[in-house]
Amino acid sequence: MTISLSHVHVLVDDPDAALAFYRDTLGLEVRNEIENDGFRWITLSTASQPEIEIVLSQPHAGVSKDDGDARAALLAKGELPGVLFRTDDLDATFEKVRAVGNAEILQEPTDQFWGVRDAAFRDPAGNMVRISQA
């Protein structure tokens, strides 16, 4: 038996702003975009790992109003789990994100005590995005 990761959900309050960040700033490729019942989800992947997609979806999509409100509140507080990427050039990636200006910089490239060099941002929805040197 084998098992592999295929999708990871990232909640976003503004799909267009999130798309601009993940596609235009980070360079992910759009795999699918679906509208359903007044909501929209977008799947993207990196060119080097097309089999693993992140799914940008809205907090109220597919859940009750109360659950959507709870998810939206956590998103607004920046309390949802983040996404971690790797790059072969952390400094260049960091400078691109900084130059575009559609993410909040939380940490410039830093050598961490656990042996990783990484940087951290908040995407336009407030999710933490960490990018490490490959």
Side-chain angles (χ1 to χ4, degrees), residues 96-108:
K96 181 177 181 183
V97 172
R98 182 196 324 244
V100 173
N102 60 357
E104 176 187 356
I105 296 171
L106 298 176
Q107 173 203 302
E108 296 196 8

Side-chain angles (χ1 to χ4, degrees), residues 30-79:
V30 174
R31 300 290 179 208
N32 206 351
E33 187 166 350
I34 304 293
E35 291 192 25
N36 183 31
D37 201 21
F39 297 102
R40 176 172 160 214
W41 74 86
I42 304 162
T43 63
L44 305 102
S45 64
T46 63
S48 63
Q49 292 178 302
E51 72 280 7
I52 302 172
E53 298 179 15
I54 65 167
V55 182
L56 304 177
S57 58
Q58 295 166 281
H60 290 86
V63 298
S64 70
K65 182 184 180 323
D66 288 345
D67 288 346
D69 288 348
R71 294 188 338 178
L74 290 171
L75 178 62
K77 290 170 50 178
E79 293 295 327

